[in-house]
Amino acid sequence: SYVNLKIADIQSTIEVNDDAVKQAYADHSQDFQRPQQRQVEQMIFKTEADANKAHDQLVHGKPFSEVEKTAAITNKGKTSLGLIAKTGIAEEEAEVIFALKEGEATKPIKSAFGWHIFHVSKIVPAGEASLAEVRESLVRDIRAQKAGDAVSHMAQKLEDAMAGGMTLEDAAKSIGATLEKAGPVNREGKAQDDKELKLPAYENFLETAFTVAERDHSQAMQADDGSYFIVRVDGVTPASTRPLAEVK
């Protein structure tokens, strides 16, 4: 028998108001500083001659989008590197790319993959992410923190109730939790017919269950996702050799 205080269930019930979000934004403003970013495209060539030909076209004013259509590049349809910060690319390339003005392209650059021409189509200045941009992540963080506090408090109340003499059934009722039952189950989470049993998917659940004595219960244990559980062993079937007739 076990009580599973799932943090996901608690999170779904927590409402976060605007004041809490604004306060979290103010408290963590240093986390929302955004470095300069650039929209970068690249063309990759097998030969320096092909790269120089494309570069000449760019120098004479032909748009990058037009050059890539006719140039002998090896990355057709995959020229966009997206919006990148200086720390998101190799240092040598970053120095060259972040020295360009908007709309400019590099001279051909040699690498192990061929010859590259990088082009900057847009520059997004450094700044601070707005509250609207980070609102969803702030709400998730606030919910996670509040849920963690709530489920820890529930686990403590469950332990206190049992320490006061309540059964696991009554203690679960006292905090509005559900008592669930499963088994018999072995250390691999399987029933006697070798089928997987539906149990809490916590790494330490079965490990805990197999350290508890018969008709005893564990402490409130924290799972890897922040949930808590208490497991009681209602019965133990000793290890034995299966009869020949059963396995023949």
Side-chain angles (χ1 to χ4, degrees):
S1 301
Y2 62 92
V3 176
N4 187 11
L5 304 175
K6 292 184 283 189
I7 199 164
D9 291 345
I10 304 296
Q11 277 182 282
S12 65
T13 67
I14 293 174
E15 294 193 12
V16 180
N17 60 43
D18 284 342
D19 288 341
V21 176
K22 289 175 182 175
Q23 186 60 54
Y25 181 73
D27 291 343
H28 301 280
S29 59
Q30 71 277 5
D31 297 334
F32 306 127
Q33 300 304 313
R34 183 172 52 204
Q36 185 192 98
Q37 294 176 295
R38 294 181 170 218
Q39 189 76 40
V40 179
E41 296 88 26
Q42 74 165 331
M43 292 185 286
I44 306 175
F45 305 85
K46 285 185 178 179
T47 68
E48 184 179 11
D50 287 337
N52 284 332
K53 182 179 178 181
H55 183 256
D56 287 342
Q57 291 177 312
L58 292 170
V59 169
H60 286 91
K62 193 170 183 179
F64 182 92
S65 58
E66 293 298 319
V67 175
E68 70 170 305
K69 290 178 183 177
T70 57
I73 62 176
T74 61
N75 61 325
K76 287 283 187 184
K78 299 179 181 179
T79 56
S80 177
L81 295 180
L83 199 61
I84 58 176
K86 196 171 184 179
T87 55
I89 51 176
E91 187 176 347
E92 290 182 6
E93 294 173 353
E95 291 302 324
V96 177
I97 292 170
F98 277 78
L100 296 174
K101 295 178 181 177
E102 192 168 299
E104 288 185 340
T106 65
K107 292 179 180 179
I109 300 171
K110 193 175 190 320
S111 81
F113 302 102
W115 292 84
H116 303 250
I117 293 177
F118 295 97
H119 173 259
V120 175
S121 59
K122 182 180 180 181
I123 296 176
V124 179
E128 186 175 83
S130 68
L131 176 57
E133 290 177 285
V134 299
R135 179 182 175 80
E136 284 189 20
S137 66
L138 286 172
V139 169
R140 283 197 300 270
D141 290 345
I142 293 169
R143 278 193 177 131
Q145 182 180 351
K146 288 190 173 184
D149 292 342
V151 80
S152 176
H153 181 64
M154 290 175 70
Q156 186 61 56
K157 287 180 69 175
L158 191 62
E159 281 196 321
D160 290 346
M162 295 178 72
M166 280 190 183
T167 62
L168 184 57
E169 287 85 350
D170 291 338
K173 285 180 184 177
S174 73
I175 64 166
T178 303
L179 182 79
E180 301 182 67
K181 290 180 177 288
V185 60
N186 64 20
R187 286 180 180 270
E188 285 71 48
K190 295 181 179 180
Q192 289 175 322
D193 58 5
D194 217 33
K195 290 182 179 179
E196 294 279 347
L197 283 180
K198 189 176 180 181
L199 296 166
Y202 308 140
E203 287 186 7
N204 58 340
F205 184 80
L206 282 171
E207 178 187 337
T208 300
F210 275 82
T211 63
V212 176
E214 190 171 13
R215 288 187 286 277
D216 199 0
H217 60 79
S218 69
Q219 297 177 318
M221 304 293 292
Q222 188 172 23
D224 47 7
D225 70 346
S227 301
Y228 279 84
F229 66 88
I230 286 182
V231 59
R232 183 184 66 201
V233 175
D234 297 327
V236 174
T237 303
S240 63
T241 303
R242 292 165 65 188
L244 174 62
E246 184 181 324
V247 299
K248 184 175 180 180

